[in-house]
Amino acid sequence: MPRTKEQYEEMRNATRDKIRSAAMQLFVHQGYGSTSVQDIADTAGISIGLLYRHYRTKDQLLNELVGYAVEGLKRNIRSFESDQSPKQLIARFIDEVYTDLSNGEELANLLILINQALFASAGTDSQLHEEILQVNARLLDATAQLIRKGQQLGEFRLGDAKEMAVYFYASIQGLAEMKILLKSNFQMPSPSVMTAFLFKVGE
């Protein structure tokens, strides 16, 4: 019985997922420059010909992965710019980070991959480089504004909001790197530990 159009689409999406997963793992663990298209195909368990049917170049694959991560950052910006309680927004965000870093490597890989792409394109006029810089700057600004609002409402500790925002993301980035480096020895800090510098004691 011939496959339906929907079945072919499911197979196509499943193959792309395997390619993206393999590429992300290899880019993070052995570096973009040291990863060949053949390495990606072998790790994904597919032929190199099938890989090329989905992605014409390794650059195209990297750009799609980083683009996916950047879209996630944009969603965080929109969330932080909403009218909801600053404490609830930060608590929900940290709960998601905690769950993702505790249960798998995807978030850790995405965060490391963004940094790798940023460093790799430094000194170029790459559109991707500029977009990552702009989104990171917007996210820092949105988070600092959220912290200021939380301070005004008495939910957060006092301090320089921009410095606190930088520390907030530096700690998450550091946890992502430790997750990959320490593997099974990694112990994810609890949400209360991650927000101790920000939330008022007893709040």
Side-chain angles (χ1 to χ4, degrees):
M1 183 176 177
R3 292 189 177 95
T4 65
K5 183 179 178 181
E6 289 76 17
Q7 287 173 323
Y8 274 116
E9 187 63 24
E10 284 179 11
M11 290 172 61
R12 185 172 182 275
N13 289 336
T15 300
R16 290 178 73 89
D17 286 343
K18 285 197 291 186
I19 294 170
R20 286 192 294 260
S21 177
M24 185 158 42
Q25 179 184 346
L26 290 168
F27 291 162
V28 167
H29 288 273
Q30 64 186 44
Y32 175 76
S34 299
T35 299
S36 69
V37 175
Q38 186 67 60
D39 290 336
I40 298 170
D42 291 343
T43 302
I46 63 173
S47 69
I48 196 166
L50 180 56
L51 189 151
Y52 277 125
R53 284 173 58 185
H54 291 271
Y55 297 97
R56 284 191 278 180
T57 66
K58 192 171 68 167
D59 281 350
Q60 182 188 3
L61 183 48
L62 175 66
N63 288 346
E64 182 172 305
L65 288 171
V66 174
Y68 173 75
V70 167
E71 284 305 311
L73 297 181
K74 289 179 179 178
R75 284 194 297 273
N76 289 335
I77 292 169
R78 290 192 292 271
S79 172
F80 285 179
E81 290 176 341
S82 71
D83 293 329
Q84 297 179 55
S85 156
K87 185 177 179 181
Q88 288 179 357
L89 287 169
I90 291 289
R92 187 184 310 134
F93 175 74
I94 286 296
D95 283 344
E96 290 173 0
V97 170
Y98 175 82
T99 300
D100 289 346
L101 288 181
S102 296
N103 297 334
E105 292 189 353
E106 183 177 357
L107 176 60
N109 286 336
L110 282 172
L111 291 174
I112 293 171
L113 195 65
I114 288 178
N115 273 8
Q116 284 186 352
L118 198 55
F119 287 126
S121 59
T124 71
D125 59 355
S126 161
Q127 181 179 347
L128 183 64
H129 181 85
E130 287 304 313
E131 183 177 13
I132 296 171
L133 286 178
Q134 289 174 10
V135 170
N136 275 332
R138 284 177 54 206
L139 182 59
L140 271 178
D141 286 343
T143 307
Q145 291 280 9
L146 190 67
I147 291 172
R148 289 189 195 99
K149 184 179 176 182
Q151 289 170 334
Q152 291 166 2
L153 294 171
E155 296 178 344
F156 296 164
R157 295 176 185 271
L158 297 180
D160 185 292
K162 193 65 174 283
E163 289 180 1
M164 294 168 84
V166 169
Y167 178 81
F168 182 65
Y169 290 112
S171 65
I172 294 172
Q173 185 70 34
L175 287 169
E177 293 175 7
M178 290 181 71
K179 164 84 176 179
I180 299 302
L181 290 172
L182 297 179
K183 301 186 187 306
S184 61
N185 291 323
F186 175 75
Q187 183 174 345
M188 184 66 191
S190 68
S192 62
V193 169
M194 295 174 69
T195 55
F197 82 100
L198 185 59
F199 292 168
K200 284 189 173 181
V201 177
E203 291 290 320

